[in-house]
Amino acid sequence: MAELPKYLSPKLLLKLLKAEKNSNTALSLFDSATRHPGYAHSSAVFHHILRRLVDPRLVSHVSRVVELIRTHKCKCSEDVALTVIKAYSKNSMVDQALFFFQRMSEFFGCEPGIRSYNSLLNAFIVSNQWDRAELFFSHLETMGMSPNLESYNILIKVSCKKKRFDKARELLDWMWCRCLRPDVFSYGTVINGLAKSGSLSDALNLFDEMFERGVAPDVICYNILIDGFFKKGDSVGANEIWERLIKDSYAYPNVVTYNVMISGLCKCGKFNESLEFWQRLKKNDRQQDLFTYSSLIHGLCKSGNVDGASRLYTEMAENGLSPDAAIYNALLNGYCQAAKVKESFELWDLMGKEGQRNAVSFNIFIRGLLEIGKVDEAISIWESMGEKDCLADSTTYGVLIHGLCKNGYLNRALRVLKDAEDRGDVLNTFAYSSMINGLCREGKLDEALHMLDQMKDHGSQPNSHVFNTLIYGFIRASKIEDAIKLFREMIIKDCFPTVVTYNTLINGLCKAERYGEAYHYVKEMLEKGWKADMITYSLLMDGLCRSKKVDMVINLWFQVLNQGLKPDATMHNIMIHGLCSAGKVEDALRLYSKMGEHHCVPNLVTYNILMEGLYKSQECKKASILWAQILLKGLQPDIISYNIILKGLCSCNRISDATGFLDDALGRGILPTVITWYILVRAVLNDGVLPRYLH
């Protein structure tokens, strides 16, 4: 701290204070001067030190300095009082701001002007005291003060904060009527409020009104709208606003605009377009910031272009920008998803050296290692969390338990869960759900049920996903009654079944050929307001087809069409298979020919089912036409396709043609299965002629 001279003047002290960069030291210097013999602070000195006390760590000293102004009877301008009001406002200390506003004459020797009123009005808004702000505004004129443009802009801000956009619009119209010409801030506040609330059409109408009224929008208005469209997933709308900005003679894209465009395009999956904006940003010599790099690195990793993200990371370092934890985490996630283990560990070590590891980093790396089966390495990273002063959160436990169960380390997962419970750590539903799923997969249904009770005991309420997992476990073990019992318990405990719950139960009942009960649950599902989806109907139809109840399947098919649902390839295949199984091959072919009407493209399974049906009906020529269609459409036949043809040709006593198709399969690198050889051997034994393959 600078030494004070024997003879000190306010002008010299102000110079010393301005030279001192540290605000704490400046305050100490100010206090020393206060005690200096024969010295009195000036208004300029008070103003300077008060401006430096806005910092949250120093704002508590403001009242002490203001008291000095009063005791020293130093007459100050309104600017000094404004600094005090703004200091308290920025720190959400609105009552203190109000206290000094009401006593401005006593403390500062001046009367409050419209700027002071506006500052206090804004202080109410900053502290979210909107009703007090409106009440204060309503008394402005009774206090002999005429509101100005800034006053009304603050009132518009209050209306938008309270989501009263109609009132905000009325205020704009009223201002025009009173010749208080609204400015870009007036309009920008309402446009921002509307866009954030999802009312983009209203925001866009107001934006257009600006041009009609002769108010030039700034780049912030454009940025708000672009961001709003992207948040709704409308990249076309965002691009239209961008094009309008490019054509605007008074507003120019800034780095925020490019960031919003790059980030938005990445989130919409338009990674190539985001790269084009990146190149345009560089071409226009716009300064890239951390957000720009973060958005693009995240987007490139999400699209699988981790090498491009890595190059961008290198470029960023070369430009002197230090990556933050978010960028490191995005790149680490990209490496993990691309199974680049070596690069992941190299980046992990670098993150440690730079002090950029957080709980999210650990979660990403542990998940990534477990996804590629690196269980020992994942556990090693997990165990190092405590050493790095980084506490595991509920997500960490969920990731670890899920990964261990998925890799077959059920007992290890159980130990991790028990240790967490014993320590009183928070476990989320995902951790318990993963554990229950792991136990169900191994057929340990009693333990899975016990885990459900354990979960409740530790304050974690089971959700529909947990019950769905358990119900599926019982269905898979053919314990239908237990599954139904769980379903009923779920309802009793106010955990409402979802479409997935009903579909799981319907699937189990269909496999057990309990179609009446399956229909009952479909009806219950519809009565409770759930809409049966394609999976629901497909499960029912598949079960009925297996039981040769084709008429019921056809009725269901028309129900699907009447409800406006569009059958997908899976449902078409189930229907075609049912018709073929019932000997209705011509009906199956008609359905196949109409798939295009439902905007549905036949797949290899479709052709396999039809060929099998035609061969069974001895329609070898029609089956050959379908084979030609498979090749013409560029589909790759599999061994199932060849087995169907071989069996069909052999049933028509065309063994030589069948062996020709076997040769074709081998030429395509498709290896015969046991079924293939069984078909050929059986045909040969029936025919008595041994082809060269069987010599």
Side-chain angles (χ1 to χ4, degrees):
M1 187 175 75
E3 287 289 328
L4 294 176
K6 186 175 180 180
Y7 299 104
L8 181 64
S9 68
K11 188 175 180 181
L12 178 57
L13 178 62
L14 190 59
K15 186 177 179 181
L16 292 171
L17 288 171
K18 286 179 178 178
E20 181 53 63
K21 302 299 180 188
N22 185 289
S23 292
N24 277 304
T25 309
L27 182 60
S28 297
L29 189 64
F30 171 84
D31 288 337
S32 295
T34 304
R35 298 187 294 270
H36 198 279
Y39 170 79
H41 292 304
S42 67
S43 173
V45 171
F46 280 122
H47 195 191
H48 176 84
I49 200 65
L50 284 167
R51 279 202 299 265
R52 299 186 74 162
L53 299 181
V54 174
D55 189 308
R57 294 165 295 183
L58 297 172
V59 73
S60 60
H61 295 280
V62 169
S63 59
R64 179 168 64 81
V65 174
V66 174
E67 182 58 28
L68 281 174
I69 294 173
R70 188 177 69 83
T71 55
H72 287 193
K73 296 181 180 178
C74 179
K75 189 174 176 62
C76 297
S77 67
E78 188 186 6
D79 288 330
V80 180
L82 276 172
T83 302
V84 172
I85 293 168
K86 287 176 180 177
Y88 284 126
S89 172
K90 285 180 181 177
N91 288 280
S92 299
M93 300 167 73
V94 69
D95 289 328
Q96 288 89 329
L98 178 61
F99 176 83
F100 286 112
F101 170 83
Q102 292 172 332
R103 294 164 180 80
M104 276 180 67
S105 177
E106 177 189 344
F107 282 95
F108 304 102
C110 64
E111 294 298 327
I114 189 62
R115 289 187 301 151
S116 299
Y117 280 91
N118 288 342
S119 292
L120 187 60
L121 196 57
N122 198 56
F124 287 126
I125 293 173
V126 170
S127 60
N128 295 325
Q129 297 184 37
W130 306 322
D131 291 336
R132 285 182 80 184
E134 286 185 314
L135 185 64
F136 184 72
F137 184 88
S138 66
H139 286 98
L140 268 182
E141 290 187 347
T142 62
M143 298 173 190
M145 195 63 55
S146 297
N148 62 5
L149 177 62
E150 186 186 354
S151 313
Y152 283 104
N153 282 347
I154 294 169
L155 193 60
I156 287 170
K157 194 193 294 185
V158 173
S159 298
C160 290
K161 291 273 188 185
K162 296 175 88 169
K163 299 192 182 301
R164 290 159 61 183
F165 300 115
D166 288 343
K167 184 175 179 181
R169 284 299 312 264
E170 287 171 11
L171 276 168
L172 286 174
D173 293 337
W174 190 86
M175 286 165 73
W176 282 111
C177 293
R178 290 282 294 265
C179 297
L180 271 170
R181 181 185 173 88
D183 60 7
V184 68
F185 183 85
S186 319
Y187 277 96
T189 302
V190 187
I191 289 169
N192 185 47
L194 288 166
K196 282 184 176 176
S197 70
S199 303
L200 272 174
S201 58
D202 291 336
L204 196 55
N205 288 337
L206 201 59
F207 182 72
D208 291 335
E209 184 185 303
M210 291 179 75
F211 292 94
E212 294 165 11
R213 297 274 199 176
V215 181
D218 59 10
V219 69
I220 296 170
C221 293
Y222 283 100
N223 292 348
I224 289 165
L225 285 172
I226 292 169
D227 185 53
F229 277 109
F230 274 128
K231 279 179 178 168
K232 289 193 85 171
D234 185 357
S235 60
V236 175
N239 270 309
E240 286 174 0
I241 302 298
W242 164 266
E243 291 300 329
R244 288 179 67 170
L245 172 58
I246 295 302
K247 292 171 186 173
D248 195 324
S249 306
Y250 301 100
Y252 303 94
N254 58 16
V255 69
V256 176
T257 320
Y258 283 100
N259 285 349
V260 171
M261 287 299 297
I262 290 167
S263 174
L265 288 166
C266 284
K267 285 174 183 174
C268 289
K270 297 181 178 293
F271 303 109
N272 290 334
E273 289 181 39
S274 68
L275 281 169
E276 287 173 15
F277 271 92
W278 168 258
Q279 294 302 332
R280 193 183 296 190
L281 173 67
K282 292 167 72 176
K283 186 180 176 182
N284 292 338
D285 292 326
R286 298 286 183 188
Q287 186 66 44
Q288 304 96 334
D289 60 14
L290 275 178
F291 186 83
T292 324
Y293 281 101
S294 180
S295 299
L296 204 53
I297 287 171
H298 183 80
L300 289 169
C301 287
K302 193 176 176 182
S303 70
N305 186 2
V306 70
D307 292 330
S310 187
R311 285 194 296 273
L312 207 59
Y313 163 77
T314 305
E315 180 188 313
M316 177 184 176
E318 288 170 356
N319 287 341
L321 279 170
S322 300
D324 60 7
I327 291 175
Y328 277 120
N329 287 343
L331 193 57
L332 180 66
N333 193 44
Y335 283 144
C336 288
Q337 288 180 343
K340 290 180 176 283
V341 180
K342 179 174 172 288
E343 291 86 345
S344 296
F345 274 102
E346 287 174 355
L347 183 64
W348 182 253
D349 291 339
L350 179 61
M351 288 169 72
K353 288 174 187 173
E354 297 291 332
Q356 293 288 0
R357 291 179 191 164
N358 55 22
V360 176
S361 317
F362 278 94
N363 295 345
I364 288 168
F365 203 25
I366 291 167
R367 181 190 288 113
L369 291 168
L370 288 168
E371 285 290 332
I372 56 173
K374 300 279 183 185
V375 177
D376 291 338
E377 290 86 343
I379 289 170
S380 175
I381 297 296
W382 150 260
E383 289 172 344
S384 72
M385 277 190 86
E387 299 167 16
K388 306 296 179 185
D389 295 325
C390 191
L391 297 174
D393 57 16
S394 59
T395 304
T396 318
Y397 284 114
V399 165
L400 185 62
I401 290 167
H402 176 77
L404 288 170
C405 289
K406 193 177 176 183
N407 283 282
Y409 288 75
L410 196 63
N411 290 332
R412 187 65 191 259
L414 280 165
R415 284 202 301 274
V416 169
L417 187 136
K418 189 177 184 310
D419 289 346
E421 287 179 338
D422 292 344
R423 282 196 300 269
D425 290 343
V426 178
L427 289 164
N428 60 15
T429 306
F430 179 61
Y432 284 105
S433 174
S434 300
M435 197 71 255
I436 288 168
N437 190 37
L439 290 165
C440 286
R441 271 210 311 266
E442 297 213 358
K444 298 181 177 181
L445 298 175
D446 290 338
E447 290 180 50
L449 276 175
H450 175 70
M451 185 61 65
L452 185 67
D453 294 329
Q454 194 173 319
M455 178 181 182
K456 296 171 197 168
D457 292 341
H458 285 86
S460 187
Q461 286 303 312
N463 58 17
S464 58
H465 182 70
V466 175
F467 276 103
N468 291 348
T469 302
L470 271 168
I471 291 169
Y472 178 71
F474 280 105
I475 292 287
R476 191 166 53 182
S478 300
K479 296 189 174 185
I480 305 292
E481 296 307 324
D482 290 316
I484 293 171
K485 185 181 174 184
L486 259 176
F487 177 83
R488 294 301 172 204
E489 183 187 332
M490 184 179 182
I491 296 167
I492 291 166
K493 295 188 180 297
D494 291 329
C495 183
F496 299 106
T498 64
V499 173
V500 175
T501 321
Y502 280 104
N503 285 348
T504 305
L505 205 53
I506 291 163
N507 184 35
L509 289 164
C510 286
K511 283 181 178 177
E513 299 187 5
R514 292 162 65 168
Y515 301 110
E517 291 171 79
Y519 267 119
H520 164 76
Y521 282 108
V522 172
K523 188 181 175 185
E524 182 183 302
M525 177 182 173
L526 295 171
E527 285 171 354
K528 290 194 173 179
W530 289 107
K531 193 174 180 181
D533 61 8
M534 299 300 293
I535 297 171
T536 317
Y537 285 110
S538 295
L539 289 169
L540 264 177
M541 289 167 71
D542 188 45
L544 291 166
C545 281
R546 291 175 193 277
S547 296
K548 312 294 183 189
K549 297 181 185 291
V550 178
D551 290 339
M552 292 177 75
V553 174
I554 292 168
N555 286 336
L556 267 178
W557 173 265
F558 285 113
Q559 276 187 44
V560 169
L561 296 180
N562 290 337
Q563 286 191 27
L565 293 171
K566 293 181 180 178
D568 57 7
T570 301
M571 186 175 280
H572 274 92
N573 291 344
I574 290 167
M575 189 69 186
I576 290 167
H577 183 262
L579 291 167
C580 287
S581 299
K584 298 175 182 278
V585 182
E586 290 303 319
D587 290 337
L589 283 169
R590 275 193 289 275
L591 185 58
Y592 153 75
S593 67
K594 290 182 178 180
M595 285 180 76
E597 292 177 16
H598 298 122
H599 305 289
C600 189
V601 180
N603 56 25
L604 185 61
V605 176
T606 318
Y607 288 106
N608 286 349
I609 293 167
L610 282 167
M611 284 195 302
E612 187 174 29
L614 288 165
Y615 277 124
K616 279 182 180 177
S617 301
Q618 299 294 301
E619 298 273 8
C620 297
K621 189 174 180 181
K622 287 183 179 178
S624 298
I625 292 169
L626 282 177
W627 175 259
Q629 285 289 314
I630 289 175
L631 301 178
L632 185 66
K633 292 182 183 295
L635 295 171
Q636 299 299 318
D638 57 11
I639 192 59
I640 296 170
S641 314
Y642 281 101
N643 285 347
I644 289 166
I645 290 173
L646 294 176
K647 187 178 179 181
L649 291 170
C650 288
S651 69
C652 298
N653 295 317
R654 292 169 58 184
I655 297 173
S656 59
D657 290 339
T659 54
F661 270 96
L662 179 60
D663 194 26
D664 185 64
L666 292 167
R668 291 175 184 271
I670 298 170
L671 298 176
T673 63
V674 173
I675 295 170
T676 317
W677 295 119
Y678 175 78
I679 292 165
L680 287 170
V681 169
R682 187 176 176 184
V684 168
L685 290 173
N686 289 336
D687 191 61
V689 179
L690 194 67
R692 58 187 177 85
Y693 288 104
L694 302 176
H695 277 288

